[in-house]
Amino acid sequence: MSELNTRISALAIVFNEEHNIREYLQNMSFADEIVVVDSYSTDRTPQIIKEEFPHVRFYQRVFDDFSSQRNYTIDLAKNDWVIFFDADERVTQKGIEEIVATVDSHPEEVAFWVKRIFYYEGRPLVNNSLNEDRTARVFRKSKCRYSDKLVHEQLTINGKSRVLKYAIQHYSFKDKEDFLSKRLQYSKLKAKEFYKEGIKPNIFHFTVRPAFRFFKYYVLKFGFINGRRGYEIASILGHHVYMRYVYLEEMYAEGGEKILVIQQKMIGDVLTSSIICDLLKEDCPTAQVDYIVHDFTRPVIENNPNIDNIIVFKEEYRKSRLALFRFAMAIRKSEYDAVIDAYNKWESGIITLFSGAKIRIGYKKWYTSFFYDKTISPDWKAPNSALVHRMQLAEAFTGKQHPIVYPKIYLTGSEVAEARKVLEARLDTSLPVIMISLLGSDEIKSMPAPEMAALLDFTVQNSNAQLLFNYLPKQVEQAREIYSLCRPETQQRILFDLYIKGLREFMAVLSQCSALVGNEGGAVNMAKALNVPTFTIFSPWINKSSWDMLTDTDKHSAVHLQDYYPEIYGDRHPKEFKKDSLELYKKLKLTLFKDKLLDFLEKNIGT
């Protein structure tokens, strides 16, 4: 579009749309920008977008419901006028011309509705109630917002609206199986809505409503004119209504257990332990899941849809036995059915014991049988043990085995949009930005300054990336030392002093980076949870096997002294070398892993 015309953002939320995504993105090419938010597709959708449509602004976010997913995507748009078509919808050429002309005319309306013609098995449905559908697809984001419904979300329009002339083509389903699968997804979401509203299923819901839905579509709306296709659609629509109440009945049958998860440790531990909440909700969607954490770690789990309440464990509870006892008694009043203690220290054991819960789960140690009625024996040598052990705790409650998953951080669209503005004010965001985890939480978790400077020089020499320093305020002098050791051409590419207000803003800024490189710690775990590629340098005394997660893909890589000098460690656990960390760090030279770093940069940044 011309710079003289009103600029338009094309938005989409997608999941497993590899059969649609190419045509959709080509169809939306008339827009000034295209923003796609993917719900972690398991097919080739992300790969197709990244490889074939590099101009598309691509994000990934865990799907919670349609309204919040759409509102998140709206917040990412740079322009006020947006078009929000689905991946299975196509705008005709006349429709495109009408949209562009309408928006350019500076209309008094703030939203426009479009008619949809539904296609089934490659052919349009005729005389069909589905074709009576009108949906708002063109609107000003400053005047519109989606409702908070889980399904059949509606756009709240603050102003005038009208219907456009030309209909769009809607390829909502390929065949009967595809249509049934989509309707069952809606059935589950609708059942959740009913559950929240307190609706109880009865015989009327299971008989009259499904039958009437079939009759309405097939007879009253002349669905029979479409022959076999019309009968199939009517049958599935009736079944869709029936299954709403089947799922709703299952939710009531499961009951509403109250479950408490405890993790009073650091950011990485709290984030990793949040998968317990995720797995509990997946298995028991009607359960109330609460999570006890320290206040400073709270931001990494805020907005997680699988956590109902965050309970803050204050430092005074650790310092005062009386304060801890009072806190434990307050927890007891909540009458939890189960407590899962992922922290496994004496104070969390006290809370678990005093909770009065019938099910109390923790790790097996010599003293823990006093606190818990069910314990698991962690295998500390297991790969990804930090994740595996948390999943074992969840499985002790659910009785089911779950595939290994990584926790996620849930940012709002406005947080991401604000972070993008912060970076645009200080950096050239058309170039890659690498967050540098410059220093660990203390000296024995930080790569020595000369070697870190060499790593930064190497990164600049082998990429066009800009480097964003990440360090704590108290570490500013150490950061300056590393900066001073870098070559002048490296220093020119470093943003040393980006001011960030808090952890949520830090995570939002991190989400906009091309990668994170540096010392292992909370920032690495957050980057992985935000789907940002990472290159991690482990301290010689940290057990890489526990935290070396997701490195089975090209997106994440990690190095440890043990990889290059296994003879130093033998059969001993890395923690036994804690007191020798500073001396051992001197052996972890860039020359050992520069090829691995280069490979990471080539695959994730480009050189």
Side-chain angles (χ1 to χ4, degrees):
M1 291 177 64
S2 167
E3 291 292 333
L4 299 176
N5 297 332
T6 304
R7 299 179 69 82
I8 297 174
S9 296
L11 313 178
I13 57 174
V14 300
F15 178 73
N16 287 353
E17 292 285 358
E18 65 177 344
H19 57 291
N20 276 321
I21 197 64
R22 288 186 181 90
E23 287 188 36
Y24 165 79
L25 294 175
Q26 290 164 0
N27 189 224
M28 293 293 108
S29 61
F30 69 93
D32 296 283
E33 70 162 351
I34 302 176
V35 180
V36 175
V37 175
D38 173 71
S39 304
Y40 291 94
S41 291
T42 55
D43 66 1
R44 295 185 66 253
T45 300
Q47 183 180 346
I48 291 170
I49 296 173
K50 292 177 181 178
E51 293 180 358
E52 301 180 26
F53 301 89
H55 62 284
V56 171
R57 291 173 52 210
F58 178 75
Y59 300 87
Q60 288 186 301
R61 179 181 186 264
V62 174
F63 180 88
D64 42 13
D65 61 70
F66 285 102
S67 294
S68 63
Q69 198 79 340
R70 287 186 180 275
N71 287 332
Y72 174 87
T73 309
I74 288 172
D75 288 333
L76 296 174
K78 292 181 180 178
N79 305 308
D80 192 32
W81 277 104
V82 301
I83 50 176
F84 213 138
F85 291 99
D86 292 340
D88 56 14
E89 295 174 341
R90 303 289 177 265
V91 187
T92 64
Q93 185 56 41
K94 288 185 177 180
I96 291 173
E97 293 170 0
E98 181 183 22
I99 290 172
V100 173
T102 300
V103 171
D104 281 343
S105 69
H106 304 291
E108 61 176 338
E109 295 89 354
V110 299
F112 294 90
W113 303 75
V114 295
K115 296 170 283 187
R116 294 193 289 186
I117 297 176
F118 279 72
Y119 281 68
Y120 181 39
E121 296 181 346
R123 292 179 291 154
L125 296 170
V126 296
N127 286 352
N128 192 274
S129 64
L130 295 178
N131 291 341
E132 297 174 1
D133 177 56
R134 304 286 186 274
T135 182
R137 288 287 187 254
V138 183
F139 55 89
R140 292 176 58 189
K141 74 170 189 176
S142 60
K143 299 291 184 181
C144 304
R145 200 79 176 166
Y146 283 95
S147 65
D148 58 359
K149 283 191 172 185
L150 297 181
V151 66
H152 300 314
E153 67 283 4
Q154 295 178 342
L155 189 70
T156 302
I157 301 170
N158 298 311
K160 295 182 179 180
S161 66
R162 64 178 168 88
V163 180
L164 294 175
K165 177 181 178 181
Y166 294 103
I168 64 172
Q169 299 165 345
H170 192 191
Y171 298 88
S172 182
F173 33 86
K174 303 188 294 290
D175 50 34
K176 182 168 65 175
E177 289 72 23
D178 184 43
F179 186 40
L180 176 60
S181 175
K182 289 184 177 180
R183 297 316 298 184
L184 289 179
Q185 181 186 9
Y186 289 129
S187 296
K188 290 178 181 178
L189 291 172
K190 198 67 180 177
K192 288 183 179 180
E193 263 188 24
F194 288 163
Y195 186 84
K196 287 184 175 181
E197 294 169 6
I199 296 173
K200 299 286 182 70
N202 55 45
I203 190 65
F204 173 81
H205 294 132
F206 288 107
T207 55
V208 176
R209 288 204 165 180
F212 181 73
R213 176 59 66 89
F214 174 90
F215 179 76
K216 178 182 178 182
Y217 174 83
Y218 193 64
V219 178
L220 299 182
K221 297 297 183 179
F222 300 100
F224 61 84
I225 291 178
N226 292 286
R228 172 190 56 81
R229 296 185 305 149
Y231 180 81
E232 287 180 355
I233 290 173
S235 299
I236 291 172
L237 289 175
H239 184 66
H240 151 68
V241 172
Y242 173 79
M243 289 304 296
R244 288 178 182 174
Y245 301 102
V246 171
Y247 292 134
L248 181 60
E249 191 171 56
E250 288 176 354
M251 289 182 181
Y252 279 108
E254 288 172 359
E257 297 105 328
K258 292 181 68 176
I259 309 170
L260 179 66
V261 179
I262 305 175
Q263 180 54 276
Q264 297 150 218
K265 216 169 180 182
M266 304 299 284
I267 286 172
D269 299 279
V270 168
L271 179 59
T272 305
S273 296
S274 70
I275 63 167
I276 299 173
C277 305
D278 298 337
L279 295 174
L280 293 175
K281 278 288 190 178
E282 178 185 320
D283 194 71
C284 313
T286 61
Q288 174 183 317
V289 178
D290 298 346
Y291 195 9
I292 293 181
V293 299
H294 279 294
D295 196 39
F296 73 91
T297 67
R298 178 176 182 150
V300 298
I301 55 171
E302 285 179 350
N303 296 333
N304 186 325
N306 299 313
I307 300 173
D308 293 290
N309 298 292
I310 299 174
I311 302 172
V312 173
F313 184 87
K314 299 178 181 178
E315 190 60 28
E316 66 184 85
Y317 303 152
R318 180 170 285 124
K319 295 178 178 179
S320 167
R321 293 182 181 179
L322 179 60
L324 177 63
F325 176 76
R326 287 174 176 169
F327 179 71
M329 288 299 98
I331 294 298
R332 185 181 183 87
K333 290 180 181 178
S334 296
E335 298 182 348
Y336 287 101
D337 298 293
V339 177
I340 299 177
D341 182 6
Y343 184 50
N344 223 72
K345 300 293 184 182
W346 72 269
E347 63 261 36
S348 59
I350 291 292
I351 295 168
T352 304
L353 179 64
F354 276 66
S355 70
K358 293 180 180 178
I359 300 173
R360 304 186 307 278
I361 301 171
Y363 295 120
K364 187 173 184 178
K365 295 182 179 179
W366 66 268
Y367 60 86
T368 54
S369 60
F370 180 71
F371 299 126
Y372 315 118
D373 67 322
K374 189 182 294 188
T375 58
I376 63 121
S377 299
D379 179 5
W380 301 105
K381 293 184 178 180
N384 300 320
S385 60
L387 274 178
V388 171
H389 295 162
R390 270 79 170 186
M391 298 187 74
Q392 286 179 295
L393 291 173
E395 289 164 0
F397 178 83
T398 65
K400 301 177 183 178
Q401 282 197 328
H402 301 271
I404 294 178
V405 294
Y406 198 81
K408 304 228 172 10
I409 289 171
Y410 297 82
L411 298 172
T412 66
S414 57
E415 285 175 326
V416 173
E418 186 60 33
R420 192 165 56 246
K421 290 179 183 177
V422 169
L423 288 178
E424 287 173 348
R426 300 290 305 276
L427 293 168
D428 181 357
T429 52
S430 67
L431 297 175
V433 177
I434 299 178
M435 175 82 76
I436 302 297
S437 185
L438 198 64
L439 296 154
S441 55
D442 53 43
E443 189 178 13
I444 61 172
K445 291 187 72 175
S446 303
M447 193 175 191
E451 214 59 41
M452 177 57 74
L455 181 150
L456 300 181
D457 288 336
F458 181 83
T459 301
V460 166
Q461 286 176 324
N462 291 279
S463 74
N464 63 343
Q466 303 156 101
L467 310 183
L468 175 58
F469 272 16
N470 168 39
Y471 54 89
L472 297 172
K474 65 181 181 181
Q475 297 172 323
V476 64
E477 292 306 319
Q478 295 164 273
R480 284 201 180 101
E481 178 189 0
I482 295 172
Y483 178 85
S484 68
L485 293 171
C486 292
R487 296 173 179 173
E489 53 268 34
T490 301
Q491 293 176 353
Q492 291 175 4
R493 296 247 216 111
I494 293 173
L495 177 53
F496 185 90
D497 58 351
L498 182 68
Y499 174 71
I500 296 176
K501 298 175 184 175
L503 190 53
R504 292 294 295 184
E505 184 175 340
F506 168 78
M507 292 187 295
V509 168
L510 176 56
S511 75
Q512 299 304 292
C513 293
S514 308
L516 179 142
V517 173
N519 293 288
E520 183 272 335
V524 172
N525 295 310
M526 287 184 273
K528 290 179 178 179
L530 292 165
N531 202 37
V532 174
T534 61
F535 187 91
T536 309
I537 302 157
F538 278 87
S539 170
W541 73 274
I542 297 296
N543 185 23
K544 181 186 176 188
S545 178
S546 294
W547 293 96
D548 187 24
M549 294 170 280
L550 302 179
T551 51
D552 54 344
T553 69
D554 291 337
K555 203 162 195 176
H556 302 282
S557 188
V559 295
H560 191 289
L561 183 65
Q562 193 172 17
D563 300 335
Y564 307 99
Y565 293 100
E567 67 276 8
I568 293 177
Y569 292 85
D571 294 329
R572 297 168 65 189
H573 194 285
K575 281 190 176 181
E576 296 181 41
F577 295 85
K578 186 173 182 177
K579 66 181 187 319
D580 303 316
S581 288
L582 295 181
E583 196 61 33
L584 289 174
Y585 249 135
K586 296 176 182 178
K587 293 180 174 291
L588 190 57
K589 301 289 186 181
L590 174 64
T591 52
L592 295 174
F593 59 84
K594 69 177 182 179
D595 290 341
K596 192 169 185 176
L597 177 57
L598 180 61
D599 181 63
F600 172 82
L601 295 172
E602 288 175 343
K603 290 176 177 176
N604 294 283
I605 306 297
T607 57

